[in-house]
Amino acid sequence: MESLYDNLGSALDEERSLRDDLSSIIGRLDHQHVSSLEPDFNLTKPSNSLPFQDAPSVVGMASLSRSSAEDVEAAPLYKDVEMHLPVKRQNRLLRNVRHKILNVYKRLFSIYVAANLIALVVVLCQSNSASLSSASNFSIPISTNVLVAALSRTEYVVNMLFATAMWFPQTAPLRLRCAVAKVYEYGGVHSGAGFSAALWVIAFTIQMTRAFLSEESFASSILVFTYFLFFFLLAISMSAHPSFRRMQHNSFEAIHRFAAWTSVALYWVLIMLISSSLHQQAGVSFAHVLITSPSFWILCVLSFLIVLPWLRLRKVNARPEYLSKHAIRLHFDYTKIGPCQGLRISTRPLLEWHSFATIPSASSKDFSILVSNAGDWTKANIQSPALKYWVKGIPVTGFLRAVQLFRKVVIVTTGSGIGPCLSGLIYARQAGAPLQCRLLWSTRDAEPTYGREVVEEVLRADPRAIVLNTKSGSPRPDLVALTYQLYIESGAEAVFVISNPKLTYKVKYGMESRGVPAYGPIFDS
């Protein structure tokens, strides 16, 4: 990561020279109010109810359609952008290791797991005896890792992490702010702690089996619950693999929730059984063994963290606003929402929860969420929205909150990703917010799909927003090239991307490999 920031200075020097080369292109762009993003495209101003003619700084509320060869020659902007897109830095192997294999999320995961592996080897080397007392020492790192995994997903901890990161002013060195903006990749600690807990459980199970075979007084019930705990934690770890989450997300949620609860219950029983056996062997009271065990107190905190969000479970009123067959907007007013925060709602609280970014109202405490057709649940709620939804816990801060660390940013999104972007854009235009945002939104039929109000909010936040109408059957524009052009034109310090995983990784990698600080959500839940 350090080399990325070392190269950032030279990248900025290159960008200054590119500004002069692109100035004529940008001038032509502002003059025409349209843009040609593919050699086969002719971009024209749409004829709809929105008064785009009253917003002369709109760069491209564009309608994509096939054009003739003459039209292509008359609008060579995309070719110019492609020509000025700099080559990627370093060789391919180093780029992939740096930005894909060992991104911040995976670095945190690797460091955490490596530390646990070292500790595990040390403990195994010191555990010479196959006894219950020796095996029970493995319960402490198990409970500790499970606690860390739970803490790193607790709304209060996540909000505190972002609040702490926002203490860094925009006057701080850019390299420092770019590093702090990676705070949203804290999920590497969560997955690392979960994986480490599984490793300790394997060692714990082996040690318990050895103790059972060597001690005649060893209670068989302890071994039975140990193996139950082993299989449940193994199921949690295996179901958390990214490929399984993508293909069977509902199954992943069910396994993660119910298997985790069951594992904590099994662990409570196991701690009680072990304490009971140890107090008989040591000749001390059961209560003394229990309260002097670190695992007991760690389990107390862990159980509280599990129960805490459910203490705030309630059903709240919702006002559905039908936008199209593809999207609906749900309005709530039960609490005040901060900038760039998300909300989980459900119609079946024990079975499934769905997270959405909130869009705060600029004039009141009302807020809304944008629900687009992305699966069975969202499709059903678009067709037949409920008037009440279950919510639990508190709103949690999302990764786009990191825009506050920069003076100027470019936000790139596609489709319903405009929902979370609007929160950041509204924050950026609030009085006293020293932040400038430029928006690039690629979607199909923006106003018919998401409504007039959403499009107007976009234009209020960035009157020069580039909104691409990607009609069905049309080739897609090169968002990497266009993002880089917008980054150079606006003099931005960073790029934020919200789209599907494939496009998010593509644009993010396309920017980072050229020395541009870029950020995108981590799809780990």
Side-chain angles (χ1 to χ4, degrees):
M1 178 180 287
E2 292 182 358
S3 59
L4 171 64
Y5 302 127
D6 291 335
N7 293 331
L8 189 57
S10 60
L12 293 175
D13 292 335
E14 295 174 9
E15 292 161 4
R16 292 189 186 97
S17 62
L18 286 175
R19 293 176 194 273
D20 297 332
D21 298 334
L22 290 172
S23 60
S24 60
I25 300 172
I26 302 307
R28 186 162 62 250
L29 184 68
D30 287 334
H31 177 72
Q32 297 175 355
H33 306 300
V34 296
S35 59
S36 177
L37 303 173
E38 290 283 0
D40 293 336
F41 290 152
N42 178 29
L43 299 169
T44 58
K45 201 181 284 187
S47 57
N48 52 37
S49 58
L50 280 178
F52 293 104
Q53 63 276 14
D54 295 335
S57 58
V58 175
V59 175
M61 185 63 189
S63 174
L64 303 185
S65 61
R66 284 288 181 182
S67 64
S68 62
E70 291 77 13
D71 293 328
V72 174
E73 294 298 323
L77 176 60
Y78 173 77
K79 295 180 180 179
D80 292 337
V81 173
E82 185 179 37
M83 179 181 65
H84 287 90
L85 190 64
V87 297
K88 298 175 182 178
R89 300 182 176 187
Q90 301 178 326
N91 61 62
R92 185 174 183 178
L93 176 61
L94 290 178
R95 290 198 309 267
N96 289 339
V97 170
R98 182 177 176 183
H99 302 301
K100 292 183 178 180
I101 300 176
L102 287 180
N103 57 27
V104 173
Y105 179 96
K106 293 175 182 176
R107 290 178 206 173
L108 291 174
F109 175 89
S110 302
I111 293 171
Y112 194 98
V113 172
N116 273 270
L117 283 174
I118 294 173
L120 179 59
V121 171
V122 171
V123 172
L124 286 174
C125 292
Q126 295 176 349
S127 301
N128 297 321
S129 62
S131 63
L132 176 62
S133 177
S134 177
S136 63
N137 292 329
F138 287 79
S139 65
I140 299 175
I142 294 174
S143 54
T144 301
N145 278 292
V146 174
L147 176 62
V148 171
L151 279 172
S152 59
R153 278 289 187 254
T154 303
E155 294 95 336
Y156 296 97
V157 174
V158 173
N159 290 346
M160 182 186 67
L161 285 175
F162 276 95
T164 304
M166 295 308 107
W167 288 347
F168 289 83
Q170 293 179 351
T171 55
L174 181 60
R175 179 187 300 181
L176 177 61
R177 288 181 282 135
C178 287
V180 173
K182 292 287 186 178
V183 63
Y184 67 92
E185 300 198 37
Y186 61 86
V189 175
H190 171 79
S191 56
F195 185 77
S196 299
L199 294 178
W200 283 100
V201 166
I202 293 174
F204 177 68
T205 305
I206 294 173
Q207 292 297 103
M208 281 295 186
T209 304
R210 291 178 59 199
F212 175 76
L213 296 176
S214 62
E215 290 186 9
E216 294 183 358
S217 60
F218 191 99
S220 58
S221 58
I222 295 178
L223 188 65
V224 171
F225 278 97
T226 298
Y227 273 90
F228 273 127
L229 180 63
F230 166 76
F231 285 118
F232 274 100
L233 285 181
L234 187 64
I236 294 173
S237 299
M238 293 179 64
S239 67
H241 192 274
S243 59
F244 182 85
R245 289 202 309 265
R246 286 193 297 268
M247 294 184 297
Q248 301 289 337
H249 190 267
N250 290 340
S251 299
F252 157 73
E253 279 198 354
I255 294 173
H256 225 62
R257 181 176 298 111
F258 293 110
W261 293 349
T262 306
S263 297
V264 172
L266 289 172
Y267 208 28
W268 268 114
V269 175
L270 198 55
I271 291 298
M272 296 297 177
L273 292 174
I274 293 175
S275 298
S276 177
S277 295
L278 289 178
H279 103 83
Q280 294 176 6
Q281 294 178 4
V284 296
S285 67
F286 171 78
H288 175 77
V289 174
L290 191 62
I291 64 175
T292 55
S293 171
S295 296
F296 169 76
W297 297 107
I298 294 174
L299 272 177
C300 288
V301 177
L302 179 61
S303 301
F304 173 73
L305 291 177
I306 293 175
V307 174
L308 181 60
W310 293 93
L311 296 177
R312 298 177 63 90
L313 177 69
R314 58 206 184 278
K315 213 169 189 179
V316 298
N317 295 324
R319 180 172 62 82
E321 178 188 354
Y322 183 81
L323 303 177
S324 67
K325 64 179 181 180
H326 179 76
I328 192 173
R329 193 170 181 177
L330 300 176
H331 296 265
F332 300 90
D333 61 359
Y334 72 94
T335 188
K336 184 176 178 60
I337 288 289
C340 305
Q341 288 191 325
L343 179 72
R344 289 180 295 177
I345 65 174
S346 176
T347 52
R348 300 182 298 172
L350 287 179
L351 297 179
E352 58 182 348
W353 288 87
H354 300 268
S355 299
F356 296 93
T358 60
I359 306 172
S361 172
S363 57
S364 64
K365 75 170 187 177
D366 297 354
F367 66 94
S368 61
I369 62 175
L370 202 59
V371 180
S372 65
N373 188 357
D376 295 338
W377 188 90
T378 52
K379 181 179 180 180
N381 278 268
I382 291 172
Q383 294 175 347
S384 181
L387 297 180
K388 290 180 178 291
Y389 287 90
W390 290 99
V391 297
K392 70 172 181 174
I394 61 174
V396 63
T397 305
F399 101 100
L400 207 58
R401 187 71 169 91
V403 298
Q404 181 184 334
L405 293 169
F406 303 97
R407 299 184 184 95
K408 295 181 180 179
V409 298
V410 171
I411 298 179
V412 182
T413 187
T414 60
S416 59
I418 193 63
C421 292
L422 277 176
S423 182
L425 291 168
I426 291 174
Y427 166 75
R429 67 180 174 83
Q430 286 177 345
L435 170 66
Q436 297 180 30
C437 290
R438 291 300 311 278
L439 176 69
L440 170 58
W441 181 22
S442 177
T443 187
R444 180 181 179 182
D445 298 329
E447 184 181 353
T449 302
Y450 299 103
R452 177 189 179 93
E453 185 178 353
V454 170
V455 177
E456 287 181 339
E457 287 179 356
V458 168
L459 295 178
R460 280 195 297 268
D462 179 12
R464 300 179 65 209
I466 299 177
V467 185
L468 309 176
N469 187 0
T470 53
K471 290 185 176 180
S472 178
S474 300
R476 301 294 180 179
D478 188 342
L479 289 182
V480 174
L482 187 56
T483 298
Y484 189 83
Q485 177 198 2
L486 195 55
Y487 169 78
I488 295 296
E489 172 206 338
S490 62
E493 295 180 322
V495 172
F496 287 79
V497 188
I498 298 182
S499 183
N500 57 69
K502 182 179 179 180
L503 189 57
T504 296
Y505 292 144
K506 178 181 178 180
V507 176
K508 184 172 177 287
Y509 175 72
M511 295 298 102
E512 288 182 325
S513 61
R514 293 175 171 86
V516 178
Y519 306 90
I522 302 297
F523 300 91
D524 67 337
S525 62

